[in-house]
Amino acid sequence: MKRPPIPTEAAFTSPLRDPRLTARIGTWLGIAFGLCFATGLVSHWYYLSDAPFFPPVRPIWGYRVTQGVHVLSGIAAIPLLLVKLWSVYPKLFGEVPVGRLRPLLVNLAEKASIAVLVAASIFQLATGLANQSQWYPWSFSFRSTHYAVAWIAIGALVVHIAVKLPIIREAYAAPLPEPEDNPLLAPVSGNASTRSDHGPSRRTLLRTALLASGVAVVAAAGNTVPFLRKVSVFAARTGEGPQGVPVNRSAQAAGVLASVVGPEFRLTLAHGDREVTLSRDQLASMTQRTHELPIACVEGWSASGSWTGVRFSELLDLVDAPADADLRIRSLQQRGAFGVTRIPASFARDPLTLLALRLNGEDLTIDHGSPCRLIAPNRPGVFQTKWVSRIEVVA
Ligand SMILES: Nc1nc2c(c(=O)[nH]1)N[C@H]1C(S)=C(S)[C@@H](COP(=O)(O)O)O[C@H]1N2
Ligand SMILES: [Mo]
């Protein structure tokens, strides 16, 4: 079989391609990437357990909003990136100035930097999209890899913008032009100056790209925005679940058996050698409080619930835990990450933080963490530990 010849840059003739279009799409893509990067840093900070200082306890919906914006800005970037790549990829086939060393090196350096930017961008959007649909088809740690590659992507983006600044300036100096009359595309007879003869205009393409991006956002936003649930066809979590709140990892998936959370269940509070043990009935006989707090998962879905239980700081007082001590929370979970978590003193002592026994007016179901779970304001969902069995003062 004969291989088709490699095309040249001139072989790509779409009249829609134009640096002025590329610059405009690029601006929107840059905004989406910037938002995604900034909120990603915030998300990473929330996950650190040894940060010099922790996120604030208010607003209660802080993580819900930043993580929602993170996932949605990433989704918004996908159609924009595709159109942007389409608008520039003929450059891959541009002439390489072989023979003269300096231009050759500049050309190769530019191609290499763009290759890094494109590869890192595609990696970030692909892994992020898979993660928000709860699909982990890889063996590396999602969080540390996604975080490291984010710096590569943003670094390459800054270099790219700096290198292209003159072209970007020029592109914005004039309004987006429509394609010139192209005799090849004009009909054989008739009035060649009517634009509709040439297919879509550049402005239509720009608007369509932005519209696609908006549609993608709306299609996914029902994960966090309740009134969009009906139209969010891509939303993996649409508010359905026992007691009106979705379940991320079920008891079965976590290896928590109904037998261990039955009447024999005991919660242990430990402060050094001191231990206090409580049954569920004893927890239920303590003062109960009800707070409206969201579960906000890193995967971009979130849902608010009305949680009832014991104020966490009142439990800590039973073993005279120091007010500034962090706590380790152990659960009955047998396998998988996040069976043991750590909560900073500021969150543990917040008056809204509960060891919840009930959700939306009913006892917790086993999948929501029965007999008791942690629920704190402004925390990533992974730290809202279910099936809590032991709370330890971290020495
Ligand atoms: N013990 C334990 N608690 C856990 C988890 C877990 O895997 N094990 N998953 C967490 C995650 S990732 C989220 S988003 C919330 C979800 O709570 P829900 O299933 O009640 O909605 O629980 C958290 N609590
Ligand atoms: Mo989560």
Side-chain angles (χ1 to χ4, degrees):
M1 231 192 359
K2 215 170 138 248
R3 263 198 291 139
I6 296 174
T8 60
E9 190 176 350
F12 297 87
T13 54
S14 170
L16 292 175
R17 288 200 181 90
D18 184 281
R20 284 163 287 193
L21 175 73
T22 305
R24 283 167 174 83
I25 297 259
T27 302
W28 288 102
L29 184 58
I31 292 170
F33 271 15
L35 259 180
C36 205
F37 180 71
T39 48
L41 290 186
V42 172
S43 183
H44 191 75
W45 176 40
Y46 272 82
Y47 263 70
L48 295 176
S49 57
D50 52 358
F53 58 99
F54 292 106
V57 288
R58 296 288 181 281
I60 60 167
W61 38 261
Y63 185 79
R64 183 179 199 182
V65 168
T66 58
Q67 192 59 15
V69 171
H70 179 66
V71 169
L72 294 178
S73 56
I75 286 174
I78 294 172
L80 299 175
L81 179 67
L82 293 175
V83 176
K84 179 136 195 310
L85 291 178
W86 172 83
S87 80
V88 292
Y89 90 99
K91 293 199 180 308
L92 272 180
F93 305 95
E95 220 170 296
V96 181
V98 279
R100 285 168 306 145
L101 191 62
R102 225 183 104 87
L104 176 67
L105 289 181
V106 171
N107 185 287
L108 293 182
E110 194 192 347
K111 285 212 167 90
S113 80
I114 289 179
V116 170
L117 175 59
V118 172
S121 304
I122 291 176
F123 180 86
Q124 289 302 84
L125 296 182
T127 53
L129 188 67
N131 182 276
Q132 73 91 45
S133 16
Q134 307 208 301
W135 184 40
Y136 297 84
W138 50 73
S139 54
F140 54 79
S141 150
F142 170 78
R143 194 166 60 89
S144 48
T145 314
H146 198 69
Y147 177 68
V149 178
W151 285 101
I152 299 175
I154 210 76
L157 178 60
V158 169
V159 170
H160 182 63
I161 293 173
V163 169
K164 298 291 179 190
L165 209 51
I167 299 182
I168 298 171
R169 284 235 178 89
E170 204 182 310
Y172 273 104
L176 187 62
E178 293 312 336
E180 279 107 51
D181 290 339
N182 181 340
L184 289 176
L185 296 174
V188 180
S189 63
N191 187 352
S193 68
T194 46
R195 236 173 238 155
S196 57
D197 294 340
H198 303 268
S201 74
R202 289 186 185 128
R203 236 161 273 159
T204 304
L205 180 60
L206 177 61
R207 286 189 193 132
T208 308
L210 291 173
L211 184 70
S213 170
V215 168
V217 166
V218 170
N223 271 330
T224 52
V225 185
F227 71 86
L228 285 176
R229 272 177 188 150
K230 289 245 158 18
V231 292
S232 274
V233 289
F234 293 160
R237 295 270 178 261
T238 47
E240 273 124 66
Q243 305 177 310
V245 174
V247 168
N248 188 303
R249 178 172 292 146
S250 67
Q252 193 185 12
V256 175
L257 304 176
S259 56
V260 295
V261 297
E264 297 82 58
F265 168 83
R266 295 289 178 273
L267 170 75
T268 305
L269 308 167
H271 177 198
D273 296 338
R274 273 187 68 185
E275 289 198 355
V276 169
T277 304
L278 299 167
S279 67
R280 189 192 181 281
D281 285 347
Q282 285 171 309
L283 286 169
S285 65
M286 293 175 71
T287 308
Q288 301 292 298
R289 298 168 203 273
T290 299
H291 300 303
E292 182 85 17
L293 290 170
I295 297 267
C297 183
V298 66
E299 285 149 357
W301 64 268
S302 60
S304 205
S306 172
W307 306 88
T308 302
V310 183
R311 185 178 277 174
F312 205 75
S313 68
E314 286 169 10
L315 285 172
L316 301 179
D317 290 342
L318 294 179
V319 286
D320 296 321
D324 59 351
D326 294 354
L327 290 309
R328 195 175 298 109
I329 311 224
R330 294 187 187 277
S331 74
L332 295 165
Q333 179 173 340
Q334 300 301 306
R335 52 175 181 264
F338 302 110
V340 181
T341 56
R342 189 177 164 132
I343 182 168
S346 54
F347 286 91
R349 293 290 178 173
D350 189 89
L352 293 183
T353 300
L354 297 176
L355 188 69
L357 304 174
R358 293 164 70 79
L359 167 57
N360 291 335
E362 295 166 17
D363 288 351
L364 286 174
T365 60
I366 188 166
D367 286 336
H368 280 308
S370 163
C372 56
R373 78 171 301 163
L374 180 69
I375 183 86
N378 197 17
R379 293 274 284 164
V382 276
F383 298 136
Q384 310 280 29
T385 310
K386 306 196 270 196
W387 316 291
V388 172
S389 62
R390 192 176 163 90
I391 300 167
E392 296 165 359
V393 174
V394 176

